[in-house]
C-alpha cells in the first residue's frame, strides 16, 4: 500500500523537525543514493568499461542543488518502492547496500521542490517527490523511450536561509568541504574508488578523491555473540580518531580509544552488521549505549595489535625521557614510575614525569603532616637533601662567576652570602654554609646597615643547649670585592676595630648581655687570593698556618685591645681566599651528593 502525501509529510515532520543542518542532511542522503546507483551499475556492466561519475552543483542565485550521477537510474519497480517508505529496494539488497530507511524524507522537510529525471534501460521517468495533488496517478505514468544512458538528475529548490548558511561555511574553504564529504562517505567511496566526483558552489569547483586507504576485516564478541567488523583507515587529519559507520555512512557516535600515537594522523572508521542493526530511524546515529563498553574493548584489542610497533617505539622514547628526567631531577627520581610500568600508549614527556612526581611527593608530605604518628618517608628525606644540595650547587656556580667577573661588586657577594636586604639573619635566606656548615645555625645574626661603620656580618652562637640566651661565641665576617686589590694590613686592622667596638658594648644587637670574659671571638676576612697573600705576608702573626687543602688561605690568632682592658683579647682569624672558599665548598657539596648513594636512572631497567 502506497503512503499518502499526508503520511509522508507528517513522518518527515516528526523525523527532522529538530535538525538544523538541512543542506548537509540533504547532501548526505543524495550522495549516498548516487553512489549506490553507481555501484549497482558497475556491477551490472561487469567487464564493460564504465567510469562512475557524480556531479553536484549548488546555485546560490536560484537557491538550487542539483545532484547528477550515471548510475543505474529508476526502473518502474524502483519508483514504486521509492514512493513506499516501508518497502525494501530489492536491487540494493542484492548488492549488499542499505535498502530501507527514511532518509528520503529529508528532501521533503528541508526542500521547497524536489524533482527527479532518471533513466533506466532506455526508459526515462520525470517526477516530483512526493506529488501533492496526484500521488497515486504519478505511479501509473508510463516512462518515455530514450537513447540516453542510465543516470539520475535530482533537483532541489532549497530555502534561501538554509542554503546561505551552507555556502557561507564552505564556499571560501572547499578543502573543508572535501574533508566533510570524505568523512561521511569513506566506506562508500572505498567501494567505488574509481569514482569521478566533483562539487561546485556557484563558480568554484572541487574534485573529490579518497586519500590512501587500508581496509581490514576482524571479528569481535558482543554479549556472547561473534560479529564481523571492518576497519577502514584513511590517512590525514590532525590526530588518530575512531568513528562509527552504519549502513556505510558516518553516524554521530565515536569510540574512545585511550591511546595517543604521536606519528599517526588518520581516521579509522568502524563498520559492522551489529551497528547496521542498531541504526536509528533517521539513519544519523546508532543505539549502542548498552554495549558501547564491550565494543570499545573489542576494537581496542584489535587496534593495540595493529599499532604494536608504534607503541614499542613510544615506549622506548618514554623510557629514555624517564632516564633523562631522573638524571636532571634526582631529588624527584624516587617519586617517578619504573620503566616496566611504561606501555607506550602515549609518549610521556619530561614535564609529565615531573608533574606526576611532584603530585606523588605532595601526597606523601600531606600524609606526614596530617597523621601525627606518620614517620618521614625515606623518599621524602632523600628528596629534601637533593633539593638542598642542588640549591648549594647553584650558589657555587654563581660564586664562581663572581670571582671571574669584575662587574660583580662587594654588595653582590654580600647578597649571595647573607641576603643583605635582611638585617636579621635569623630569618634570612643565608648561605653561611659557604664558610662552614656549623655556621648555618646561630642564636642571633645581623648584616651591616647602610651608612653605619659596622662589620659586614656578625652572628652570635651558643653551643650549649641549656643556656641559649647567653651566646659564648662571636663570629665576625668581612667581605671584600673579589677582584679588587686592597692595601696590605687594612683588612686585619678593620676587623680588629669592629671586635673592639662589640667587646666594649657588651651586648648583642638584639640586646642580650654577654659575659665577655667567657666569650670567644672568631673572625673571617674573605678576599681575592692576592690580597689575602699580601695581608698574611705583611701583618699575619708568626703562628699563622696555611689551611689544609687551600692554596692561599691562612688561620691563626691575633690580638685586639678594647678600652679599659689591661690584657689583649685573642681572636682566631681566618684569612680566606675566595678561590679556596669556592673549592672547599665544592668539595663539601660533592660529599653530600655521594652520601645520597642513588643508582643511575639508566641502570634501573636492568635492576628490576
Amino acid at each position: 500500500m502506497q503512503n499518502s502525501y499526508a503520511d509522508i509529510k507528517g513522518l518527515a515532520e516528526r523525523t527532522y523537525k529538530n535538525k538544523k543542518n538541512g543542506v548537509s542532511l540533504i547532501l548526505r542522503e543524495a550522495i549516498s543514493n548516487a553512489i549506490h546507483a553507481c555501484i549497482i551499475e558497475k556491477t551490472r556492466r561487469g567487464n564493460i568499461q564504465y567510469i562512475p561519475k557524480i556531479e553536484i552543483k549548488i546555485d546560490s542565485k536560484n537557491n538550487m542543488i542539483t545532484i547528477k550521477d550515471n548510475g543505474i537510474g529508476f526502473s518502474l519497480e524502483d519508483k514504486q518502492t521509492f514512493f513506499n517508505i516501508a518497502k525494501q529496494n530489492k536491487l540494493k539488497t542484492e548488492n549488499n547496500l542499505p535498502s530501507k530507511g527514511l532518509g528520503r524524507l529529508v528532501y521533503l522537510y528541508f526542500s521547497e521542490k524536489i524533482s527527479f529525471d532518471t533513466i533506466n534501460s532506455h526508459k526515462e521517468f520525470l517526477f516530483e517527490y512526493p506529488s501533492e495533488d496526484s500521488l497515486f496517478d504519478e505511479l501509473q505514468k508510463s516512462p518515455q523511450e530514450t537513447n540516453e544512458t542510465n543516470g539520475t538528475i535530482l533537483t532541489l529548490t532549497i530555502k534561501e536561509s538554509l542554503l546561505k548558511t551552507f555556502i557561507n561555511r564552505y564556499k571560501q574553504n572547499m578543502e573543508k568541504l572535501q574533508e566533510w564529504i570524505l568523512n561521511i562517505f569513506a566506506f562508500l567511496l572505498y567501494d567505488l574508488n574509481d569514482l569521478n566526483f566533483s562539487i561546485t558552489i556557484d563558480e568554484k569547483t572541487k574534485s573529490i578523491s579518497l586519500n590512501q586507504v587500508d581496509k581490514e576485516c576482524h571479528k569481535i564478541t558482543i554479549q556472547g555473540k561473534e560479529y564481523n567488523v571492518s576497519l577502514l583507515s584513511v590517512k590525514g587529519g590532525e590526530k588518530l580518531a575512531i568513528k562509527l559507520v552504519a549502513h556505510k555512512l558516518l553516524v554521530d557516535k565515536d569510540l574512545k580509544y585511550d591511546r595517543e600515537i604521536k606519528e599517526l594522523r588518520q581516521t579509522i572508521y568502524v563498520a559492522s552488521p551489529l551497528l547496521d542493526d542498531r541504526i536509528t530511524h533517521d539513519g544519523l546515529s546508532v543505539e549502542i549505549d548498552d554495549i558501547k563498553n564491550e565494543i570499545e574493548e573489542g576494537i581496542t584489542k584489535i587496534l593495540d595489535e595493529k599499532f604494536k610497533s608504534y607503541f614499542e617505539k613510544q615506549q622506548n622514547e618514554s623510557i629514555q625521557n624517564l632516564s633523562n628526567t631522573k638524571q636532571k631531577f634526582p631529588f624527584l627520581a624516587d617519586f617517578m614510575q619504573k620503566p616496566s610500568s611504561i606501555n607506550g600508549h602515549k609518549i610521556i614527556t619530561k614535564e609529565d614525569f615531573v608533574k606526576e612526581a611532584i603530585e606523588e611527593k605532595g601526597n606523601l608530605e600531606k600524609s606526614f603532616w596530617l597523621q601525627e604518628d606518620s614517620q618521614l618517608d625515606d623518599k621524602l628525606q632523600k628528596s629534601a637533601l637533593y633539593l638542598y644540595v642542588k640549591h648549594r650547587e647553584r650558589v657555587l656556580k654563581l660564586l664562581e662567576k663572581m670571582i671571574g667577573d669584575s662587574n660583580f661588586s662587594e654588595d653582590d657577594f654580600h647578597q649571595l652570602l647573607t641576603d643583605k636586604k635582611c638585617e636579621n639573619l635569623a630569618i634570612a635566606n643565608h648561605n653561611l654554609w659557604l664558610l662552614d656548615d656549623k655556621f648555618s645555625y646561630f642564636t642571633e645574626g645581623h648584616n651591616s646597615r647602610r651608612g653605619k661603620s659596622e662589620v659586614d656580618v656578625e652572628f652570635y652562637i651558643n653551643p650549649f643547649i641549656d643556656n641559649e640566651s647567653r651566646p659564648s661565641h662571636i663570629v665576625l665576617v668581612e667581605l671584600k670585592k673579589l677582584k679588587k686589590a686592597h692595601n696590605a694590613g687594612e683588612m686585619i686592622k678593620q676587623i680588629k676595630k669592629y671586635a673592639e667596638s662589640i667587646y666594649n658594648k657588651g651586648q648583642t644587637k638584639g640586646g642580650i648581655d654577654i659575659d665577655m670574659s667567657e666569650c670567644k671571638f672568631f673572625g673571617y676576612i674573605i678576599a681575592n687570593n692576592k690580597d689575602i697573600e699580601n695581608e698574611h705576608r705583611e701583618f699575619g702573626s708568626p703562628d699563622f698556618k696555611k689551611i689544609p687543602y687551600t692554596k692561599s688561605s691562612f688561620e691563626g690568632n691575633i690580638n685586639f685591645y678594647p678600652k679599659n682592658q689591661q690584657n689583649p683579647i685573642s681572636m682566631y682569624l681566618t684569612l680566606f681566599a675566595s678561590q679556596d672558599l669556592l673549592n672547599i665548598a665544592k668539595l663539601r657539596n660533592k660529599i653530600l651528593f655521594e652520601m645520597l648513594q642513588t643508582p643511575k636512572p639508566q641502570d634501573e631497567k636492568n635492576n628490576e
Side-chain angles (χ1 to χ4, degrees):
M1 179 177 179
Q2 297 295 332
N3 304 98
S4 68
Y5 178 82
D7 290 338
I8 297 174
K9 186 75 173 177
L11 189 55
E13 175 79 17
R14 292 193 297 274
T15 302
Y16 290 104
K17 67 178 181 179
N18 294 321
K19 305 295 189 300
K20 296 180 179 180
N21 51 337
V23 176
S24 297
L25 293 174
I26 286 173
L27 291 177
R28 174 188 172 97
E29 177 68 12
I31 293 172
S32 63
N33 285 332
I35 295 175
H36 292 168
C38 290
I39 290 174
I40 295 171
E41 178 73 0
K42 184 176 182 179
T43 303
R44 185 186 69 84
R45 294 198 184 194
N47 294 327
I48 299 175
Q49 185 178 8
Y50 169 68
I51 299 176
K53 186 175 182 179
I54 296 174
E55 295 178 356
I56 300 172
K57 293 184 179 180
I58 299 175
D59 180 358
S60 63
K61 183 177 180 181
N62 297 303
N63 299 323
M64 292 179 65
I65 297 178
T66 304
I67 300 98
K68 181 179 180 181
D69 69 73
N70 63 347
I72 188 65
F74 281 63
S75 66
L76 177 59
E77 183 180 357
D78 294 333
K79 182 181 177 183
Q80 292 173 338
T81 300
F82 190 75
F83 273 80
N84 187 346
I85 61 176
K87 190 175 181 180
Q88 291 185 340
N89 185 308
K90 181 180 178 182
L91 199 55
K92 286 191 176 185
T93 302
E94 292 174 352
N95 285 271
N96 296 316
L97 296 170
S99 58
K100 181 181 178 181
L102 304 180
R104 72 201 74 169
L105 298 179
V106 74
Y107 303 148
L108 178 60
Y109 187 75
F110 290 110
S111 303
E112 296 180 337
K113 184 179 180 181
I114 312 105
S115 63
F116 286 86
D117 183 353
T118 181
I119 300 171
N120 175 269
S121 300
H122 301 293
K123 291 181 172 57
E124 182 177 11
F125 285 104
L126 286 87
F127 63 88
E128 293 183 358
Y129 178 80
S131 179
E132 183 175 354
D133 299 325
S134 55
L135 179 63
F136 300 105
D137 292 342
E138 178 66 51
L139 293 174
Q140 304 302 318
K141 290 182 179 179
S142 299
Q144 297 181 2
E145 298 292 329
T146 180
N147 291 324
E148 299 293 330
T149 58
N150 290 350
T152 299
I153 300 175
L154 168 61
T155 304
L156 304 108
T157 302
I158 308 297
K159 297 174 184 177
E160 182 179 359
S161 59
L162 289 178
L163 194 61
K164 184 177 180 181
T165 300
F166 184 87
I167 291 174
N168 289 342
R169 181 184 304 169
Y170 292 117
K171 185 175 181 179
Q172 301 305 321
N173 192 347
M174 298 291 278
E175 293 296 329
K176 185 177 180 181
L177 178 59
Q178 174 175 271
E179 290 177 11
W180 177 78
I181 292 173
L182 295 178
N183 195 34
I184 298 292
F185 305 104
F187 257 95
L188 281 175
L189 293 174
Y190 179 83
D191 292 339
L192 202 64
N193 56 16
D194 56 350
L195 174 66
N196 188 328
F197 188 1
S198 67
I199 183 166
T200 300
I201 299 178
D202 293 333
E203 73 284 355
K204 301 187 71 171
T205 300
K206 178 69 179 178
S207 296
I208 309 297
S209 57
L210 194 61
N211 298 337
Q212 187 174 349
V213 177
D214 296 316
K215 187 176 181 181
E216 302 174 8
C217 295
H218 300 273
K219 293 182 182 295
I220 58 173
T221 301
I222 305 296
Q223 294 184 339
K225 185 177 178 180
E226 192 173 70
Y227 292 89
N228 292 325
V229 61
S230 299
L231 303 184
L232 196 70
S233 302
V234 182
K235 292 189 176 181
E238 297 180 359
K239 60 181 180 178
L240 177 64
I242 315 298
K243 300 187 177 184
L244 294 182
V245 168
H247 288 184
K248 296 194 175 183
L249 291 176
L250 184 72
V251 293
D252 64 356
K253 292 280 187 180
D254 291 348
L255 287 186
K256 181 177 69 176
Y257 184 53
D258 190 21
R259 314 284 190 259
E260 296 176 12
I261 304 179
K262 180 181 178 182
E263 298 178 358
L264 212 53
R265 301 287 185 271
Q266 64 178 245
T267 300
I268 297 179
Y269 299 91
V270 179
S272 172
L274 171 66
L275 301 176
D276 295 341
D277 292 342
R278 288 172 171 255
I279 195 168
T280 56
H281 70 277
D282 59 10
L284 302 177
S285 188
V286 286
E287 297 173 342
I288 58 168
D289 289 347
D290 59 321
I291 57 173
K292 188 175 181 182
N293 289 340
E294 281 189 87
I295 295 175
E296 286 180 341
E297 290 174 5
I299 298 301
T300 294
K301 185 176 180 181
I302 293 171
L303 294 181
D304 281 355
E305 183 62 30
K306 176 181 176 68
F307 299 131
K308 185 177 180 180
S309 61
Y310 287 97
F311 296 141
E312 290 175 350
K313 184 177 180 180
Q314 293 192 161
Q315 181 186 42
N316 292 333
E317 185 173 344
S318 294
I319 290 174
Q320 185 59 53
N321 288 342
L322 175 62
S323 175
N324 294 340
T325 305
K326 286 188 173 184
Q327 289 180 3
K328 186 170 183 178
F329 304 102
F331 56 92
L332 291 176
D334 287 340
F335 302 99
M336 296 179 192
Q337 56 185 287
K338 295 184 180 298
S340 59
S341 68
I342 297 175
N343 52 30
H345 291 166
K346 69 174 185 177
I347 294 176
I348 310 177
T349 65
K350 176 187 72 175
E351 290 75 15
D352 294 329
F353 287 123
V354 170
K355 181 180 178 181
E356 292 173 5
I358 290 175
E359 289 176 354
E360 173 66 13
K361 183 172 179 284
N363 290 334
L364 290 173
E365 288 180 350
K366 180 179 178 181
S367 176
F368 174 76
W369 289 113
L370 294 182
Q371 299 178 23
E372 294 184 1
D373 59 344
S374 176
Q375 300 296 308
L376 187 61
D377 184 270
D378 288 344
K379 292 184 291 186
L380 281 177
Q381 294 183 49
K382 185 183 290 185
S383 175
L385 181 55
Y386 258 123
L387 199 62
Y388 179 58
V389 172
K390 190 66 178 179
H391 161 72
R392 290 169 62 136
E393 183 182 87
R394 292 179 179 180
V395 170
L396 289 169
K397 286 182 179 179
L398 183 53
L399 176 58
E400 187 167 18
K401 187 176 181 180
M402 287 181 174
I403 292 174
D405 189 345
S406 59
N407 291 322
F408 286 96
S409 67
E410 183 179 318
D411 279 348
D412 293 327
F413 182 30
H414 197 156
Q415 177 68 23
L416 179 67
L417 187 66
T418 65
D419 188 358
K420 194 174 181 182
K421 296 177 182 178
C422 183
E423 292 185 3
N424 183 358
L425 294 185
I427 60 172
N429 181 26
H430 67 75
N431 292 302
L432 290 169
W433 54 268
L434 284 167
L435 297 178
D436 196 310
D437 283 299
K438 67 184 178 183
F439 293 149
S440 294
Y441 304 95
F442 42 81
T443 304
E444 190 178 314
H446 301 274
N447 278 311
S448 60
R449 292 169 291 183
R450 288 191 178 277
K452 297 286 185 178
S453 179
E454 299 174 323
V455 67
D456 288 333
V457 185
E458 61 184 281
F459 49 97
Y460 305 86
I461 301 173
N462 188 346
F464 305 107
I465 299 176
D466 61 344
N467 191 15
E468 293 185 1
S469 63
R470 304 275 296 182
S472 58
H473 294 169
I474 299 175
V475 182
L476 309 180
V477 182
E478 268 298 301
L479 308 173
K480 301 300 178 183
K481 189 173 181 180
L482 303 180
K483 294 290 287 184
K484 181 180 179 181
H486 297 269
N487 295 328
E490 285 186 353
M491 295 186 290
I492 293 178
K493 182 179 179 181
Q494 187 180 36
I495 203 167
K496 283 183 178 182
K497 182 183 71 172
Y498 292 141
E500 291 167 3
S501 175
I502 292 171
Y503 190 98
N504 291 333
K505 185 177 180 182
Q507 284 185 334
T508 69
K509 276 190 175 180
I512 300 174
D513 292 331
I514 305 173
D515 183 356
M516 290 300 179
S517 64
E518 298 293 332
C519 196
K520 296 181 180 179
F521 279 78
F522 298 85
Y524 285 81
I525 296 174
I526 305 172
N528 181 270
N529 57 347
K530 297 299 182 183
D531 289 344
I532 291 296
E533 289 171 359
N534 290 338
E535 196 79 10
H536 171 254
R537 183 171 55 252
E538 298 296 332
F539 291 92
S541 63
D543 63 342
F544 265 50
K545 303 295 183 183
K546 191 173 184 180
I547 299 175
Y549 308 109
T550 69
K551 294 182 178 179
S552 305
S553 298
F554 308 88
E555 58 186 356
N557 287 295
I558 62 170
N559 293 327
F560 64 92
Y561 299 87
K563 292 180 180 179
N564 303 320
Q565 186 70 28
Q566 294 182 353
N567 298 316
I569 304 301
S570 177
M571 172 193 287
Y572 195 80
L573 180 64
T574 300
L575 300 174
F576 221 156
S578 55
Q579 292 86 348
D580 290 333
L581 170 70
L582 174 65
N583 291 333
I584 291 178
K586 278 185 176 181
L587 180 61
R588 287 202 304 273
N589 229 36
K590 181 181 178 182
I591 294 171
L592 281 175
F593 267 124
E594 292 173 350
M595 287 172 59
L596 291 172
Q597 297 178 347
T598 303
K600 294 180 180 179
Q602 63 265 30
D603 294 338
E604 289 185 358
K605 187 174 181 180
N606 298 327
N607 294 335
E608 292 182 352

